């Protein structure tokens, strides 16, 4: 781990925050891996793949209905809320999230890329028309509702084995390759191509901060590691940033 120099935060103009399920843990939403994670109780290939939806659309639709319920009941936590302030602390701030729960947006983050889609929208698998997921669930909880084109609606998320939106992915890579500060929060950094953003930022010389109670495959690359829950570490880091960036 390189030695951390606060000057790199003081002078940073372009900043990327890369978040995962861990940032929503303190909002009561399960992570995927690790103890108590979703994948401990369910198998991703049975629920979060196009094959699973073809095989048993009702099962997949009901599961995403349950996840929509838990996300709708959840509230943004101090980590989500503190990150909103980063938009005024740094000239250029972009939050790139793997989360589909919509909590960054609900907290007020405007500069946001949801690289794995969102639970808050449903999309017709045939014509691509999208609609509000809550509305679609109100129409049908058991099976995915039909579209006027004859297709079925599915959650507007990216499933395993599906390509990410090309424009979203290339924007994410561009920003990671040109930022001066890259902060990863609450991600096991194991799902690709999203996890590749960390290497791109590091290779481009960005100061890399990792916030995660557990180590990840990229912990050794971090200039600073905060091994604490995001809901504690991000507000504290925000105070430090405010102090470091105060005009002297
Ligand atoms: C694709 C939406 C082209 C759906 C998701 C290269 C190498 C190996 C495999 C692959 C590769 N390239 C492609 C693959 C396959 C696959 C992949 O990466 N597999 C992994 C599992 C090895 N990738 C894909 O399929 C991607 N598509 O590549 O298309 C293609 C096409 C055909 C064939 C091949 C390739 C699509 C990936 C997107 C899938 N969709 N989500 C839904 O949500 O239902 S991924 C989903 O899981 C999330 O979005 C997120 O990305 C991921 C979970 O990761 P995390 O968010 O990091 O959560 P996790 O639980 O793992 O970790 C939580 C962390 O938080 C932990 O570290 C924990 O310590 C920490 N934590 C806990 N509490 C706190 C905390 N941190 C802070 N505070 C706390 N309080
Ligand atoms: Zn349609």
């Amino acid at each position: 781990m390189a030695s951390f120099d606060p000057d790199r935060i003081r002078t940073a103009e372009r900043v990327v925050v890369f978040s995962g399920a861990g940032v929503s843990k303190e909002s009561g939403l399960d992570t995927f891996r690790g103890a108590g994670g979703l994948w401990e109780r369910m198998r991703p290939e049975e629920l979060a793949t196009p094959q699973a939806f073809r095989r048993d659309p009702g099962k997949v639709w009901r599961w995403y209905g349950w996840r929509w319920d838990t996300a709708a009941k959840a509230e943004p936590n101090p980590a989500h809320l503190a990150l909103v302030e980063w938009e005024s602390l740094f000239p250029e701030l972009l939050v790139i999230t793997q989360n589909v729960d919509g909590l960054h947006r609900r907290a007020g983050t405007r500069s946001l890329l949801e690289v794995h889609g969102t639970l808050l929208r449903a999309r017709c698998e045939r014509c691509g028309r999208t609609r509000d997921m809550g509305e679609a669930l109100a129409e049908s909880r058991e099976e995915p509702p039909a579209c006027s084109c004859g297709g079925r609606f599915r959650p507007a998320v990216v499933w395993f084995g599906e390509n990410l939106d090309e424009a979203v992915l290339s924007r994410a890579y561009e920003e990671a390759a040109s930022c001066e500060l890259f902060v990863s929060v609450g991600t096991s950094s194991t799902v690709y191509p999203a996890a590749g953003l960390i290497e791109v930022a590091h290779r481009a010389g960005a100061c890399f901060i990792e916030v995660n109670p557990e180590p990840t495959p990229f912990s050794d690359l971090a200039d600073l590691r905060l091994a604490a829950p995001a809901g504690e570490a991000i507000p504290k880091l925000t105070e430090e940033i405010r102090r470091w960036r105060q005009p002297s």
Side-chain angles (χ1 to χ4, degrees):
M1 185 173 307
S3 66
F4 173 66
D5 170 5
D7 250 356
R8 302 191 69 185
I9 296 219
R10 210 188 319 278
T11 56
E13 304 264 318
R14 302 165 62 88
V15 177
V16 167
V17 174
F18 177 55
S19 74
V23 82
S24 295
K25 178 81 177 165
E26 291 150 272
S27 295
L29 297 185
D30 294 329
T31 57
F32 291 76
R33 284 168 189 74
L38 286 170
W39 298 148
E40 210 177 48
R41 307 192 301 275
M42 305 150 217
R43 289 151 40 84
E45 52 280 7
E46 276 175 28
L47 291 159
T49 63
Q51 297 81 358
F53 191 64
R54 261 195 301 281
R55 213 175 26 244
D56 188 344
K59 181 180 177 181
V60 173
W61 184 253
R62 291 188 292 278
W63 186 60
Y64 279 95
W66 168 74
R67 289 185 56 199
W68 184 86
D69 294 338
T70 50
K73 281 194 217 104
E75 288 300 329
N77 66 57
H80 297 107
L81 298 168
L83 287 170
V84 176
E85 188 188 339
W86 290 29
E87 291 188 350
S88 53
L89 286 171
F90 295 104
E92 289 182 55
L93 186 275
L94 177 66
V95 174
I96 300 174
T97 189
Q98 300 164 85
N99 301 343
V100 295
D101 58 33
L103 291 181
H104 282 298
R105 194 180 292 282
R106 273 173 54 200
T109 287
R110 285 160 306 173
S111 178
L112 179 67
L113 276 185
E114 296 169 309
V115 292
H116 291 162
T118 175
L119 264 177
L120 277 60
R121 302 290 297 170
R123 185 181 68 239
C124 170
E125 62 181 346
R126 185 183 295 175
C127 71
R129 189 165 75 85
T130 68
R131 63 188 292 196
D132 177 79
M133 183 67 165
E135 211 193 273
L137 288 166
E139 184 183 330
S140 165
R141 274 275 172 180
E142 293 309 311
E143 296 294 329
C147 171
S148 51
C149 77
R152 279 179 308 202
F153 280 97
R154 50 158 290 170
V157 298
V158 179
W159 279 327
F160 289 97
E162 285 188 325
N163 291 315
L164 279 63
D165 176 290
E166 210 34 59
V168 168
L169 190 61
S170 50
R171 167 103 195 279
Y173 269 77
E174 271 160 36
E175 299 282 344
S178 62
C179 68
E180 287 119 7
L181 174 62
F182 185 96
V183 181
S184 92
V185 190
T187 179
S188 59
S189 314
T190 53
V191 172
Y192 285 79
L197 292 166
I198 301 168
E199 276 154 322
V200 164
H202 179 70
R203 216 175 296 126
C207 172
F208 171 36
I209 298 178
E210 184 180 73
V211 181
N212 192 323
E214 306 296 327
T216 77
F218 299 99
S219 298
D220 294 347
L221 299 184
D223 298 288
L224 177 66
R225 236 187 75 67
L226 303 175
E232 288 165 29
I234 296 293
K236 277 208 195 92
L237 183 57
T238 305
E239 271 167 43
E240 297 285 326
I241 292 170
R242 227 185 273 129
R243 210 159 44 74
W244 284 324
R245 293 183 69 87
Q246 225 147 33
S248 39

